[in-house]
Amino acid sequence: MKAKNYGPVKGQAYTRKEYVKGFPPPKIVKFTMGDTKGTWDVEARLIANERKQIRHSALEATRVATNRVLIDKLINDYYMQVLPYPHVILRENKMIFGAHADRLQQGMRRSFGRTIGTAARIEPGQTLIIVRVKAAAMETAKLSLQRGLAKLPLTCRIVITKLAPKVEAETAEAEVEVEDDAGKVDTSE
């Protein structure tokens, strides 16, 4: 089957992996990239406009395309996170086409199908990818999300927001006294 057959969200999600024998693991294995402990000025988000299922291969292609632009231009001075996880298991009842195929297959008898991959269900307004950068690299973050958007089977919008500066915790914190109740005996009977 083609990937467009798995795009629309139909029916209940098939996610109970304990009942499924042998399904392929998702291709996307790394969800956070870049410097996770840095301080950033700008956050760019890729937000979905429609309800759709995204296959794990499309999520991985989006991650690679977005990350490639960020690595080329910013080296390691960014933070990127892919938010959706492909939980939904996809099945296909494979059919044989050609001469005398009717003798080899059973049609719709026992047509539950075999697992062929996984997908993530996306709702309108859901954030797919977050990119955090310094203020000077705002255009690079926008360009990277546009490159990643080309790999997705749905329409999205890019929203850029300024992050509030982090307030550093004071090194000299006030000490709080804690009473020790271990030696007290309750005599209120």
Side-chain angles (χ1 to χ4, degrees):
M1 277 199 193
K2 296 182 179 177
K4 72 177 183 178
N5 295 332
Y6 297 103
V9 178
K10 292 184 281 188
Q12 189 173 357
Y14 182 59
T15 58
R16 297 296 296 270
K17 294 179 180 176
E18 60 266 24
Y19 299 126
V20 181
K21 293 177 187 169
F23 62 93
K27 285 186 180 177
I28 182 166
V29 291
K30 197 171 182 184
F31 289 88
T32 56
M33 280 127 300
D35 183 12
T36 56
K37 296 179 181 173
T39 56
W40 314 111
D41 304 327
V42 177
E43 179 180 84
R45 292 175 173 260
L46 189 65
I47 299 175
N49 289 337
E50 55 189 283
R51 188 170 195 233
K52 203 84 148 181
Q53 283 189 159
I54 301 177
R55 293 189 61 172
H56 61 116
S57 52
L59 274 175
E60 175 64 8
T62 302
R63 181 193 71 83
V64 169
T66 305
N67 198 34
R68 183 174 295 136
V69 173
L70 292 170
I71 283 180
D72 288 347
K73 305 249 172 133
L74 304 177
I75 301 158
N76 198 31
D77 198 24
Y78 69 95
Y79 170 74
M80 184 180 111
Q81 184 177 14
V82 179
L83 297 178
Y85 184 85
H87 284 290
V88 180
I89 300 168
L90 303 174
R91 301 184 313 268
E92 179 182 6
N93 180 29
K94 293 191 176 177
M95 302 293 247
I96 304 169
F97 295 103
H100 303 291
D102 54 337
R103 298 178 187 186
L104 302 173
Q105 70 183 16
Q106 301 203 356
M108 292 302 287
R109 189 177 297 157
R110 300 180 72 181
S111 63
F112 188 67
R114 292 183 172 220
T115 57
I116 58 162
T118 55
R121 286 198 171 180
I122 306 299
E123 298 295 329
Q126 182 177 345
T127 302
L128 303 177
I129 297 177
I130 296 172
V131 176
R132 293 182 181 144
V133 293
K134 304 280 186 196
M138 184 176 68
E139 290 301 318
T140 305
K142 191 173 178 181
L143 175 68
S144 69
L145 288 176
Q146 286 172 347
R147 294 273 175 88
L149 176 58
K151 308 290 184 187
L152 289 174
L154 71 158
T155 60
C156 295
R157 66 183 188 274
I158 298 171
V159 176
I160 297 175
T161 56
K162 288 187 177 181
L163 295 173
K166 284 186 178 179
V167 178
E168 295 296 326
E170 293 183 38
T171 55
E173 294 182 13
E175 293 183 17
V176 179
E177 293 182 20
V178 179
E179 291 183 359
D180 187 12
D181 293 334
K184 296 181 180 176
V185 178
D186 187 19
T187 59
S188 61
E189 290 183 12

